[in-house]
Structure formats: C-alpha cells, structure tokens
Amino acid sequence: MSPFWGEVLGTMILILFGAGVCAGANLTKSYAKDAGWVVITLAWGLGVTLGIFAVGNISGAHLNPAVTVALAWTEDFAWSDVPLYILGQLIGAFIGACIIFLQYLPHWKATNDPGAKLGVFSTGPAIPHSFSNLLSEFIGTFVLLLGLQFIGAGEFTEGLNPIAVGLLIVAIGMAFGGTTGYAINPARDLGPRIAHAVLPIAGKGSSNWKYSWIPVVGPLLGGSLGALFHKAVFNNSLTTEFWIVLVISVLVFGMAYFISPKKFAS
C-alpha cells in the first residue's frame, strides 16, 4: 500500500469512530443518545489510536493536514509530498463520513434537529465569535503538535506510541473541546462537512460554510507554530519559519478580530 492510500485508510478509520460516536450520541432513537462528552472524547481518541496502528508503518499516520504541514515547516517531511497527503486525508474523511451516513440511515429522518445532524459531520462553536473560535482551534492544535513532539522524543516502546497519541487526543478534547468541538484537524472537519453538503440527509439544513474556514485555518496555524515552538525551545533551533508562521498568525487573528462582533452572543 502506498503512503497516499495509507492516509486515506487511516483517516477513514479515524472518522468512522469519531463521526460514529457523534451520530450515536446525537441522533434520535440511537441507544447511545445523550451518551455525553466523555464518551465522545474517548471514541475520538481510540479512533486515532487504531488509525495509527493501521497505517503508521505505511505513511507515518499523519491523518491530519495540520500535522503534515507542521512537519514540513520543521523539515521533517517533504513539502513536495504535502498535497498528496492532504488529498488522501480529505478523501478518507469523506469516505468515513459517508459510511456513517449509511450506518445510521433510518435515524436521519427520525431526528428533527438539523444542528444535531450537522454535529455528526463537522464542528461548530458553542458561542459564535470568530476571533475566540479561531483562538480555541489554534490553542488546541498547538498543544497537539507540542504533545506529539514530546511523545516522539520519549523513550516509549514503539508499540505504545499510538496509545499515547490517542490519550493526548482524549485529553485535548476534555480540556479544550468544549468551545468549538475541537476539530484540531482540517480534514476531520472539511471532508465530513462536504459529505454533509452532498449526501441526501433528510432535513439536514445548512452545512454552515461561513464557519468552515476556522477549523481549517486555526489548526494549520496552531499546529505549525506548536511544532516550530518545540524546535526552538527544546532543540535550541529558532528558525526563520517560526517567525514567518508567527507573523501570518498575527495577521489572520487581526482579521478575525476585525470581523468578530464586539460582544459575545448570549
């Protein structure tokens, strides 16, 4: 199997568990209805763990464009391979979301809330506010890449690394996920959001495209700066790339502040 197909398969596995638990917890007449945040975060973490076990020796199991781009910034991955990896991740996420649509086929019509249906596929803010929502995704993915670097530097038995990464995802979800649903992964949000837009989901409502840039841009910037921060602080290598990403981040946050309402929605 090629690295491209490894990323397709691994990301599909991630979404099968992640979107699957969201469907179980959100959709009417599911036995898992209202299972709660702890169950959701655990399933996402286990999905990441299994995805890494499945394709880690094939593609490195990035499963996330924010990881791929961050590793390219730190010169641990070739920029020339970035587009193919991201394409594979998006395709895998889309396929995984389509399978979950089929898994819960009778439940879409039985569920009246369009927001609950969208929540199976993509993230959304608890309180809509572009600057704050972007900051939440930025911080969560900054911590993700910093944590991945810590795990990679540790002397774990190699087979335990996927479990450590899965626990990191659980911890991020529990600590930071309550604000935006912690996409921390552009493919995880964008691939299933596209699936939501094109699938014949009964009474699905809007795919909320006006918000969709935040779970893409926030993780890309936060993950890149997190990896470069680790390189600067722990490896004593402050690079030009760090300052480039920092300046881009400041500019994007300035734009987000400008378009955000001056008061938080109640």
Side-chain angles (χ1 to χ4, degrees):
M1 183 184 296
S2 69
F4 169 79
W5 287 109
E7 288 298 296
V8 171
L9 178 61
T11 311
M12 183 192 75
I13 290 171
L14 164 64
I15 298 301
L16 284 176
F17 284 90
V21 73
C22 289
N26 286 352
L27 298 181
T28 301
K29 296 188 178 181
S30 162
Y31 285 137
K33 183 76 166 65
D34 300 322
W37 193 246
V38 172
V39 170
I40 290 172
T41 57
L42 285 172
W44 276 105
L46 290 170
V48 170
T49 296
L50 186 58
I52 297 172
F53 274 129
V55 302
N57 64 341
I58 297 171
S59 67
H62 295 186
L63 316 183
N64 182 344
V67 173
T68 300
V69 171
L71 293 178
W73 278 116
T74 58
E75 299 181 346
D76 294 311
F77 189 72
W79 278 108
S80 59
D81 292 330
V82 168
L84 195 63
Y85 264 57
I86 292 178
L87 179 62
Q89 292 152 5
L90 287 170
I91 292 173
F94 178 85
I95 293 171
C98 291
I99 293 172
I100 294 303
F101 165 71
L102 296 173
Q103 168 69 19
Y104 284 88
L105 195 58
H107 293 263
W108 306 106
K109 189 174 182 180
T111 303
N112 294 323
D113 182 3
K117 297 173 189 180
L118 178 59
V120 172
F121 295 90
S122 58
T123 62
I127 299 176
H129 188 266
S130 295
F131 179 87
S132 300
N133 304 150
L134 183 68
L135 183 61
S136 292
E137 288 294 334
F138 181 95
I139 292 172
T141 321
F142 183 99
V143 172
L144 171 62
L145 265 295
L146 200 60
L148 290 177
Q149 299 287 348
F150 292 156
I151 292 168
E155 295 183 0
F156 282 92
T157 301
E158 186 175 351
L160 294 179
N161 279 357
I163 297 173
V165 174
L167 290 173
L168 173 62
I169 297 297
V170 173
I172 290 172
M174 290 181 175
F176 305 109
T179 53
T180 60
Y182 78 117
I184 60 172
N185 181 340
R188 170 266 175 273
D189 189 274
L190 184 57
R193 195 183 296 270
I194 294 171
H196 177 272
V198 302
L199 288 171
I201 302 168
K204 64 182 176 180
S206 167
S207 299
N208 196 14
W209 287 107
K210 66 180 181 180
Y211 177 78
S212 63
W213 70 275
I214 289 176
V216 172
V217 175
L220 287 174
L221 293 177
S224 295
L225 199 63
L228 290 165
F229 176 84
H230 180 274
K231 187 173 183 177
V233 173
F234 292 91
N235 297 338
N236 297 315
S237 179
L238 183 59
T239 62
T240 303
E241 288 80 3
F242 174 88
W243 297 110
I244 291 172
V245 174
L246 181 61
V247 169
I248 294 172
S249 299
V250 170
L251 292 174
V252 171
F253 274 102
M255 180 197 72
Y257 181 81
F258 179 77
I259 66 174
S260 296
K262 300 308 176 185
K263 294 183 180 180
F264 292 100
S266 59

